Amino acid sequence: MSEPQHRGCQGKAWHTGEPREWLSALCHALPISLFVLGLFYYWFAIADRYAVFLYGHLGATPFDRVTSSRYWMAGLVASGALLVIYTAVNWLLGRLAILRHQTCRPPAWWRVWLVCVAPLTVGIPLITTTCNWPTLPPSLALACTVATLLGLALAMWPGSLAALHPEELTWLAFDGVGLVPSLLLLLAIEVPRTSGIISVGTAWSIAIGSTIGGLIWLLIMTGLRRWRRKPVPSAGTLLVAGLCWGYLLLPLAHHLLATPPGYRYITAASNFSAFNVGIQLLAWSVTVALAIGITHWRRRFR
């Protein structure tokens, strides 16, 4: 049997830098932009704001700190939904291409992202500042746009892996779970100050214990990779996997699975980020250190 031909998803040979790469990116970006804008239009123009953003819950007002964070968290939830759909579609196209003895090569994620920037930068502020009541001020509309664009950069990244190397993506997804505790549960150290529902000792036990648990998980994955002779991902790649779990997939899961059927509300940012900048920087620093440290250890002893 002849070697598989390296082709795009449309069956034509495309080379980096050619206009056809941008045309392919445009074909991907248009449905992505429409999907994201459609979600924003539903949440901000059609759906019941009291249900989606929990107006009146525990005395919440449309523009208090908690409710305001729900607006830009909507961008991360939309990105999480896109991550699931875009990865699944590219996986399916990759498998269909193999059946035709071809190779499906999606356009580079950054090309697709760049094409999405213009319609989302215009569309999201237009929807959020003009539709329904209350309309958002420009500052919150900008926060929604920035959060969405950052989330989309993460969401589009696994597309090529899903099409070309799905097994590698699976290993990477399991690896990324090990960074979630340091990203999210380490934030427990500020809970005694902000809400007081747990003691200081309990908070530190959760933060340290969960981070150690994440490290143990990464060590287990290290052993499995070595046993199965799997390549070691870079620290940056591992970090992106953890960010996808912590800031895209878990907010989406909360929206779909942890809310009542009639009240699919958008979670508050306080469930995924710290109020205190120093604590947030600590969580990010520990996560980056884990990604770099485990990668260095794997390469040294592989």
Side-chain angles (χ1 to χ4, degrees), residues 68-100:
S68 295
S69 72
R70 298 185 194 276
Y71 298 136
W72 59 263
M73 281 296 295
L76 299 184
V77 174
S79 298
L82 180 65
L83 170 62
V84 174
I85 296 172
Y86 190 62
T87 302
V89 169
N90 278 289
W91 176 86
L92 179 61
L93 291 175
R95 307 293 67 72
L96 293 176
I98 290 176
L99 293 177
R100 299 194 301 267

Side-chain angles (χ1 to χ4, degrees), residues 31-298:
I32 288 173
S33 299
L34 290 174
F35 174 76
V36 173
L37 292 177
L39 284 179
F40 267 86
Y41 188 77
Y42 172 75
W43 287 328
F44 284 88
I46 299 176
D48 180 3
R49 289 280 189 92
Y50 283 81
V52 177
F53 300 113
L54 290 187
Y55 292 174
H57 177 65
L58 299 178
T61 60
F63 296 113
D64 63 26
R65 182 167 65 172
V66 174
T67 305
S68 295
S69 72
R70 298 185 194 276
Y71 298 136
W72 59 263
M73 281 296 295
L76 299 184
V77 174
S79 298
L82 180 65
L83 170 62
V84 174
I85 296 172
Y86 190 62
T87 302
V89 169
N90 278 289
W91 176 86
L92 179 61
L93 291 175
R95 307 293 67 72
L96 293 176
I98 290 176
L99 293 177
R100 299 194 301 267
H101 306 294
Q102 299 172 354
T103 301
C104 176
R105 294 188 179 276
W109 69 266
W110 58 268
R111 292 181 188 270
V112 182
W113 184 84
L114 284 176
V115 179
C116 288
V117 167
L120 296 182
T121 301
V122 174
I124 292 176
L126 184 63
I127 292 170
T128 55
T129 59
T130 62
C131 295
N132 211 330
W133 183 90
T135 56
L136 299 191
S139 59
L140 282 178
L142 176 62
C144 290
T145 305
V146 171
T148 303
L149 292 176
L150 291 176
L152 287 187
L154 294 173
M156 295 175 188
W157 178 84
S160 293
L161 274 180
L164 298 170
H165 307 289
E167 185 180 1
E168 181 179 343
L169 179 59
T170 301
W171 279 91
L172 186 59
F174 278 101
D175 245 343
V177 172
L179 297 181
V180 172
S182 57
L183 271 179
L184 303 182
L185 296 181
L186 194 149
L187 305 179
I189 59 178
E190 80 166 356
V191 173
R193 181 179 61 84
T194 57
S195 64
I197 59 175
I198 58 176
S199 66
V200 174
T202 301
W204 278 99
S205 297
I206 293 173
I208 296 175
S210 61
T211 302
I212 293 174
L215 175 59
I216 293 173
W217 176 262
L218 290 171
L219 292 174
I220 292 173
M221 290 301 302
T222 299
L224 291 174
R225 281 184 177 274
R226 185 171 183 179
W227 174 48
R228 302 299 297 176
R229 300 181 182 274
K230 297 299 178 182
V232 175
S234 67
T237 300
L238 178 59
L239 183 61
V240 169
L243 294 175
C244 285
W245 276 110
Y247 295 136
L248 300 187
L249 292 175
L250 290 183
L252 174 65
H254 183 282
H255 177 64
L256 296 178
L257 305 177
T259 56
Y263 294 89
R264 298 293 185 197
Y265 62 86
I266 304 295
T267 185
S270 56
N271 290 326
F272 296 92
S273 62
F275 290 112
N276 184 280
V277 175
I279 293 177
Q280 185 62 67
L281 292 176
L282 173 64
W284 286 340
S285 299
V286 171
T287 303
V288 171
L290 281 175
I292 294 175
I294 197 68
T295 301
H296 174 75
W297 192 83
R298 287 172 174 178

